[in-house]
């Protein structure tokens, strides 16, 4: 049994749409990343010069998003528009924003995967057919094309519509409930509909026209009174190989839909269009009509069916007889391009090509007619994008969001250059004057006739349609990137490399990682590497030994009358307090070094210091000791001593905790009473009367300065009582609370002023609360931190609901490990609470963060484009983890470790917005397909490629005509090269280029025998290549063996020591057929190479030639070859026949087939097309994990003793698990796993995907005494969570994963992402589920850690502690 969880979520943007979603006035961008839905807003900063994206919320989905569209529905909860989401397998979800919950709300979900809709038993599955979603511009209906030629129509009610639902027949799809009249008044209007949509219906496209057999794309057009659907289709299947017989078989038709009668009317039909058309784009005014995009041309079709076309390369005329203007000199490739409106008066558009080039598409308008098209390239200086776009959406005026699946998505902005603004205004004025003169009465009568069909048009739009556009004005646009969304997709391969040992370099007690994970990510010019670490690797600036140090605080102090000085020193800390041996020492920070300060009124013997802060504009330093509060001026003259004990009440309580917010100071005494002080203008502390506060025993408190206004501004006080109540007051008005919640100790998912149910009984022992800002310089917002007695940290986000202030619980949490050893020194043995309080860092590398000190230190951080993340700090211990900002360590932090005071900074160029892993992206400008690590030199070997023009071979004796090739617009093929990459400088230090049309298929580091006589072995690099020159020439390949040798370093390099290495080719051989996979095999230093339709075992001879020793014939090309290290057991996988389990013997040399998959298993699933595969041993059992082309994970077992295996010749299929079609794996590797007390397994599987997600498959114990108990607990917990939780978009996680077993020896694969949600539930629900599954909370936490879910500490991927 296994458990699958995502360590890194997907990052490839597949769809995006902009709409007012969270409110009627909001401007949101909703982004889909395969199975992750994110809601963004955009914020203007720098006096309106920059725009940044700000994440509002994100939702992992149990499905694959294929399209997003906006819909304007009646009576939405937020007052804004709704979102329509299309998912794989013919599903539609209608979603709106619920301001009361500060979350999305699923209005409806529509299923169209009924088997009755499949026209024939041999029709392809729904997930194998492309789907198209289109919404009418006036939101009257949506059209969903799915399957081969099915069309679902979902009407939407509009204000004043005349749909009479009682007159519709009952021939509906049945998934929508019948509309029942309901009188509901919203926004002053009475709605007679209970749902915003009417019942949908499904019809075949052939009912619109019998010739619609092969639909290509659909869209709804503008300016029609009734919904007008444009369909691009072909009457016969298109084929470039049969171009002369099936030339120009594409047709574009426009139909109006009568939603009431379920009828359609054909308006126009444009036939004999070019075969390579693949997209239709509806154009609004002033252009109107439709734009058809092909690989070689662009065609405009107006409302009456008139066409204007332009060819952009020399193949446009050769592939089509369609009439078009010639701009072949542009030599553009339009495959995969995207278009976006520029918002100019002439309707010109931005054309984004797949290689990242930008072009301007302009229209020549003559009245209502488009008389010409023009395309202009913007040049290399406008290359702001680096890959093929996946989607675009406009974001206000002069901005657009462009999504990419293989590069960072960008928010692109544009505007006129300052030198052209005046000239542009003059030209517009001239065009307006000409328009007034040319507008005649005949044209006006024609407009009246057209209005009956196209609807009323605005007079301003009519005026704009007659303007002539100067194409040269497009060059006057200036483009720039305003913001980016980081992307790690696709992760094509990964390797583990040794990280730099910080302990040896700095002498610090740093928990150095054994390995780090490096992935090959990005496509095209965005290709490069990504370094992933489970924890933040701090840059230690300085470490100073202070024997017996237990506390440290850095503050800034200013003079009462500030003198002029350098502005750069304005925010630097200049004083340092150290608690050492029961005494507090005062230091001045001079040039980054602590210098002890004497001759002041500061008393080191005042007692152990609990907290130090500054008040009165940093002119007073306040030292809090156990029994009093001491205030010092800028020269550390004692200004005031304020006793903590209440002399009037006769109590002698000391300080328990302290919170600062200038000019206020909040003290929680040992007897759970409050002391609130405020500094006056002179800096003296005065006590504030707290008689208006409710009488209670206060457990914790926090002061917060509200800069966002969500709490009303000013200083806010948050208080936690011993009975679990949480309340907030404004410092300016303590008589009435801003917010009150009676039962915070239940840790509910939402906090409001409404009472909780009385049957809730299970509570949590709370210890501390903190209100602090999280965010970067773009956006910061407050969060409520709640700390429990056992160290769990929960985050709540405040929001303004229609009924007042609310808090929602976030999934980011810090849960201490179940291991007692890891928690040693982290918890206070007497109180059971965390020893160290949370600390706020207002400037940690430019962000506002909160530190979690202790044995497992961590930071809670947030960027504007991501949710709060909890990232561990790579250090064995970090006490007093607090801020430090000085000239030598700007915007840094400090901590105590092993009697040393360490000053450090966050590493540069590291991202944490994507996941709870620290990632660093190195862009190399070339696509990296393979990566391997060479341990001897601590370097990485990369297989890279770039596109190069393909020339026909001139030496082919069978085709002499190829010598006279006349084409100048040549096709492009991949050109491979091998690169040596140094992790010291993160740069390429050597490269080896292969021949023309030769690309690298596989690269691996192997320990090979280089001398049989001396029995000498060495680590070498084996490279397999393929040479493909078209279907007329047989593919060839090559085997290359490289070594890395030292050379004389380059003295001019930034780091000469890193350039003293070079790739050396020691052996090579040209073979018939491509080398598609290589793997080491056996114990004699040989390797297996998949060569064409054979697999050969090869080795190096004494003369360094490559000698084959054994072979096996295969039916197809092998793309997967994996050996169970040192055993001679090999997995071979091909694209058609599935898996081959092969054994290798050395005496004699022989490959023998041991077993194969049964192709069709008892589970009803087929293992067709193995994409990745690997072994995973579990005690005495041997399991094989394989993923097919449908992204279905198969668990197979080799068990020759089982009668069903036919003596092992059949691999037994134990279970299957759906990863999701959008998460097609690219690489899989068995990795070592750190055993846990609940799971002694030493191996796991790491899976990289095209979507950028990183999966982790952990085997659960199968032979231990508690294995059955652990599995039943987790399996039952997964079922409870799936049935009780509210899932976004109304999707079913169990149906999505489709986990199946054989019912005999197999167990279903558990979904770790569902299990992880148990942590964020309310305490009574979490404890209740633990009781129902037969375990305690601690036992389930240990089970989840053993399953690799990774809920403990700050990171995911339990068992990967060596990273």
């Amino acid at each position: 049994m296994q458990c699958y969880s995502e360590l890194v979520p997907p990052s490839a943007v597949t769809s995006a749409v902009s709409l007012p979603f969270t409110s009627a006035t909001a401007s949101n961008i909703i982004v889909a990343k395969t199975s992750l839905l994110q809601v963004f807003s955009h914020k203007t900063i720098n006096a309106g010069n920059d725009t940044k994206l700000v994440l509002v919320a994100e939702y992992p989905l149990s499905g694959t998003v294929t399209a997003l569209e906006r819909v304007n529905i009646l009576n939405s909860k937020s007052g804004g528009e709704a979102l329509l989401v299309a998912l794989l397998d013919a599903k539609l979800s209608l979603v709106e924003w619920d301001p009361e919950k500060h979350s999305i709300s699923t209005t409806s979900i529509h299923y169209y995967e009924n088997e009755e809709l499949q026209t024939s038993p041999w029709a392809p599955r729904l997930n194998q057919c492309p789907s198209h979603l289109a919404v009418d511009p006036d939101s009257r209906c949506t059209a969903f094309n799915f399957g081969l030629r099915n069309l679902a129509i979902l009407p939407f009610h509009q204000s004043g519509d005349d749909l009479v639902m009682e007159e519709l027949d009952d021939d509906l799809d049945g998934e929508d409930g019948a509309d029942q009249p309901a009188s509901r008044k919203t926004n002053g209007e009475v709605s007679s509909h209970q749902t915003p949509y009417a019942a949908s219906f499904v019809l075949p496209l052939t009912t619109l026209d019998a010739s619609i057999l092969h639909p290509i794309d659909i869209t709804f057009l503008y300016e029609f009174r009734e919904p007008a659907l444009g369909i691009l289709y072909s009457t016969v299947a298109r084929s470039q190989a049969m171009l002369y017989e099936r030339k120009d078989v594409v047709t574009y038709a426009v139909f109006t839909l009568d939603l009431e009668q379920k009828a359609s009317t054909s308006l126009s039909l444009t036939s004999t269009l070019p075969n390579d058309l693949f997209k239709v784009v509806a154009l609004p005014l002033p252009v109107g009509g439709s734009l058809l995009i092909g690989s070689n041309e662009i065609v405009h079709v107006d409302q009456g069916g008139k066409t204007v076309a332009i060819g952009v390369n020399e193949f446009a005329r050769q592939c089509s007889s369609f009439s078009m203007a010639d701009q072949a000199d542009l030599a553009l490739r339009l495959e995969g391009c995207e278009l976006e409106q520029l918002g100019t008066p002439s309707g010109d558009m931005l054309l984004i090509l797949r290689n990242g080039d930008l072009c301007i598409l302009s229209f020549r308008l003559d009245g209502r007619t488009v008389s010409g098209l023009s395309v202009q390239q913007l040049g290399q200086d406008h290359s702001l994008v680096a890959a093929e776009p996946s989607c675009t959406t406009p974001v206000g005026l002069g901005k657009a969001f462009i999504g990419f699946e293989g590069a960072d998505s960008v928010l692109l902005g544009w505007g006129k250059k300052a030198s052209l603004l005046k000239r542009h205004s003059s030209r517009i004025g001239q065009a307006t004057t000409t328009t007034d003169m040319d507008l005649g009465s005949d044209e006006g009568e024609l407009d009246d006739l057209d209005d009956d069909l196209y609807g009323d048009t605005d007079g301003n739009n009519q005026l704009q349609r007659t303007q002539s556009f100067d194409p040269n004005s497009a060059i006057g646009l200036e483009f720039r990137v305003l913001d980016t969304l980081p992307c790690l997709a696709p992760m094509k391969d990964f390797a583990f490399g040794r990280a730099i040992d910080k302990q040896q370099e700095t002498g610090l007690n740093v928990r150095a990682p054994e390995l780090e994970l490096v992935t090959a990510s990005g496509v095209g010019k965005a290709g490069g590497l990504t370094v992933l670490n489970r924890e933040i690797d701090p840059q230690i600036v300085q470490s100073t030994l202070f024997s017996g140090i237990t506390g440290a605080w850095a503050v800034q102090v200013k003079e009462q009358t500030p003198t002029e000085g350098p502005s750069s020193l304005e925010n630097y800390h200049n004083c340092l307090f150290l608690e050492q041996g029961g005494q507090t020492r005062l230091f001045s920070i001079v040039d980054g070094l602590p210098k002890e300060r004497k001759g002041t009124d500061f008393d080191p013997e005042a007692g152990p210091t609990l907290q130090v802060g500054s008040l009165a504009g940093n002119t007073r330093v306040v030292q809090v000791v156990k029994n009093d509060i001491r205030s010092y001026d800028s020269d550390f003259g004692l200004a005031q001593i304020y006793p903590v004990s209440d002399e009037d009440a006769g109590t002698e309580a000391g300080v328990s905790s302290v919170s600062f917010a200038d000019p206020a100071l909040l003290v929680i005494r040992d007897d759970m009473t409050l002391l609130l002080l405020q500094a006056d203008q002179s800096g003296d502390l005065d006590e504030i009367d707290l008689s208006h506060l409710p009488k209670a025993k206060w457990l914790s408190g926090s002061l917060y300065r509200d800069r966002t206004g969500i709490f009303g501004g000013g200083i806010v006080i948050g208080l936690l009582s011993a009975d679990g109540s949480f309340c907030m007051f404004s410092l300016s008005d303590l008589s009435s609370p801003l917010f009150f919640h009676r039962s915070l100790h239940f840790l509910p998912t939402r906090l409001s002023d409404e009472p909780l149910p009385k049957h809730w009984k299970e509570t949590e022992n709370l210890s501390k609360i903190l209100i602090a800002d999280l965010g970067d310089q773009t956006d910061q917002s407050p969060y409520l931190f709640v700390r429990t007695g056992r160290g769990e940290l929960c985050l709540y986000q405040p929001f303004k609901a229609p009924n007042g202030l609310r808090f929602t619980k976030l999934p980011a949490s810090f849960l201490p490990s179940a291991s007692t050893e890891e928690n040693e020194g982290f918890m206070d043995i007497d109180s059971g609470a965390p020893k160290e309080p949370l600390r706020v860092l207002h400037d940690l590398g430019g962000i506002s963060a909160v530190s979690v000190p202790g044995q497992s230190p961590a930071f809670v951080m947030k960027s504007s484009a991501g949710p709060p993340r909890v990232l561990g700090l790579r250090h064995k211990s970090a006490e007093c983890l607090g801020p430090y900002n000085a000239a030598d360590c700007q915007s840094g932090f400090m901590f105590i470790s092993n009697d040393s005071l360490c000053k450090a900074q966050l590493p540069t160029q590291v991202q944490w917005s994507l996941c709870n892993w620290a990632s660093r992206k190195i862009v190399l400008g070339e696509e990296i397909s393979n990566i391997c690590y060479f341990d001897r030199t601590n370097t990485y070997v990369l297989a890279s490629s770039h596109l190069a023009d393909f020339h026909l071979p001139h030496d082919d004796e069978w085709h002499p005509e190829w010598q006279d090739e006349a084409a100048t617009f040549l096709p492009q093929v991949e050109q491979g090269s091998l690169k040596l990459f140094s992790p010291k400088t993160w740069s390429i230090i050597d490269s080896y280029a292969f021949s023309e049309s030769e690309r690298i298929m596989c690269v691996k580091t192997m320990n090979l025998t280089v001398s049989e006589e001396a029995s000498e072995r060495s680590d070498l690099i084996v490279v397999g290549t393929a040479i493909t020159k078209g279907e007329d020439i047989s593919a060839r390949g090559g085997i290359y063996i490289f070594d890395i040798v030292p050379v004389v370093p380059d003295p001019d390099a930034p780091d000469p020591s890193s350039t003293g290495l070079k790739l050396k080719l020691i052996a090579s051989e040209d073979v018939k057929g491509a080398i598609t996979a290589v793997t080491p095999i056996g114990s004699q230093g040989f390797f297996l190479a998949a060569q064409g339709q054979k697999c050969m075992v090869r080795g190096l001879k004494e003369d360094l030639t490559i000698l084959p020793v054994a072979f096996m014939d295969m039916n197809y090309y092998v793309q997967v070859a994996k050996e169970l290290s040192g055993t001679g057991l090999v997995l071979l996988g091909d694209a058609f026949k599935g898996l081959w389990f092969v054994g290798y013997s050395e005496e004699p040399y022989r490959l023998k087939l041991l077993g194969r998959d049964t192709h069709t298993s008892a589970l009803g699933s087929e293992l067709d097309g193995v994409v990745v595969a690997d072994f995973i041993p579990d005690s005495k059992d041997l399991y094989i994990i394989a993923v097919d082309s449908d992204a279905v994970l198969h668990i197979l077992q080799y068990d020759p003793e089982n009668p069903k295996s036919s003596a092992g010749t059949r691999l037994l299929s134990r279970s299957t698990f759906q990863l999701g079609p959008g998460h097609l794996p690219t690489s899989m590797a068995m990795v070592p796993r750190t055993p846990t007390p609940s799971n002694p397994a030493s191996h796991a599987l790491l899976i990289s995907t095209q979507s950028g997600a990183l999966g982790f498959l952990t085997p659960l114990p199968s032979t231990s005494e508690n294995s059955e108990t652990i599995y039943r607990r987790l399996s039952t917990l997964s079922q409870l969570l799936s049935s009780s939780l509210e899932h976004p978009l109304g999707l079913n996680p169990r149906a999505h994963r489709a986990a199946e077993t054989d019912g005999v020896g197999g167990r279903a694969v558990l979904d770790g992402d569902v299990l992880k949600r148990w942590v964020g539930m309310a305490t009574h629900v979490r404890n209740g589920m633990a009781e129902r599954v037969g375990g305690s909370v601690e036992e389930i936490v240990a089970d989840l850690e053993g399953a690799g879910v990774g809920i403990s500490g700050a990171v995911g991927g339990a068992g990967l502690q060596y990273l």
Side-chain angles (χ1 to χ4, degrees), residues 888-1066:
D888 63 327
C889 186
Q890 298 182 12
S891 303
F893 60 96
M894 64 179 181
F895 57 91
I896 298 173
S897 179
N898 294 338
D899 290 342
S900 294
L901 179 64
C902 303
K903 296 182 291 184
Q905 292 175 310
L906 290 180
T908 58
Q909 299 178 347
V910 173
Q911 299 175 348
W912 50 81
S913 61
L914 289 175
C915 59
N916 287 342
W917 289 49
S919 62
R920 179 184 178 184
K921 195 171 181 179
I922 301 101
V923 179
L924 301 177
E926 288 191 13
E927 190 167 336
I928 309 299
S929 59
N930 301 87
I931 179 174
C932 66
Y933 177 71
F934 199 76
D935 186 50
R936 177 155 39 96
T937 58
N938 190 24
T939 54
Y940 293 91
V941 180
L942 313 178
S944 68
S945 64
H946 64 276
L947 294 178
D949 290 340
F950 174 73
H951 297 271
L952 291 173
H954 293 173
D955 56 352
D956 192 293
E957 58 182 5
W958 300 102
H959 297 278
E961 70 276 6
W962 288 355
Q963 300 179 7
D964 302 326
E965 184 181 7
T968 58
F969 185 65
L970 298 175
Q972 293 183 322
V973 294
E974 292 185 15
Q975 176 73 42
S977 61
L978 194 69
K979 299 185 182 297
L980 186 62
F981 184 82
S982 172
K984 292 183 179 180
T985 59
W986 299 111
S987 61
I988 295 173
I989 58 178
D990 192 26
S991 178
Y992 179 89
F994 290 93
S995 62
E996 183 180 357
S997 302
E998 186 173 12
R999 59 175 178 169
I1000 300 175
M1001 304 296 292
C1002 49
V1003 177
K1004 278 193 178 179
T1005 301
M1006 305 182 190
N1007 187 259
L1008 302 180
T1009 299
V1010 295
S1011 175
E1012 294 184 357
E1013 295 179 357
S1015 299
E1016 182 182 352
R1017 299 178 68 166
S1018 177
D1019 288 339
L1020 299 173
I1021 303 159
V1022 180
V1023 180
T1025 66
I1027 303 175
T1028 54
K1029 295 185 178 181
E1031 59 185 9
D1032 296 326
I1033 301 177
S1034 300
R1036 298 185 58 84
I1039 300 176
Y1040 299 83
I1041 300 180
F1042 291 87
D1043 194 6
I1044 299 178
V1045 297
V1047 295
V1048 178
D1050 182 7
D1052 298 330
D1055 185 6
S1057 61
S1058 65
T1059 62
L1061 298 172
K1062 191 175 182 64
L1063 290 168
K1064 179 183 179 181
L1065 178 65
I1066 63 173

Side-chain angles (χ1 to χ4, degrees), residues 27-45:
S27 179
N28 300 110
I29 306 172
I30 301 186
V31 172
K33 299 179 178 179
T34 310
S35 60
L36 181 67
L37 192 69
Q38 294 182 317
V39 181
F40 290 93
S41 62
H42 53 92
K43 182 178 182 180
T44 302
I45 60 175

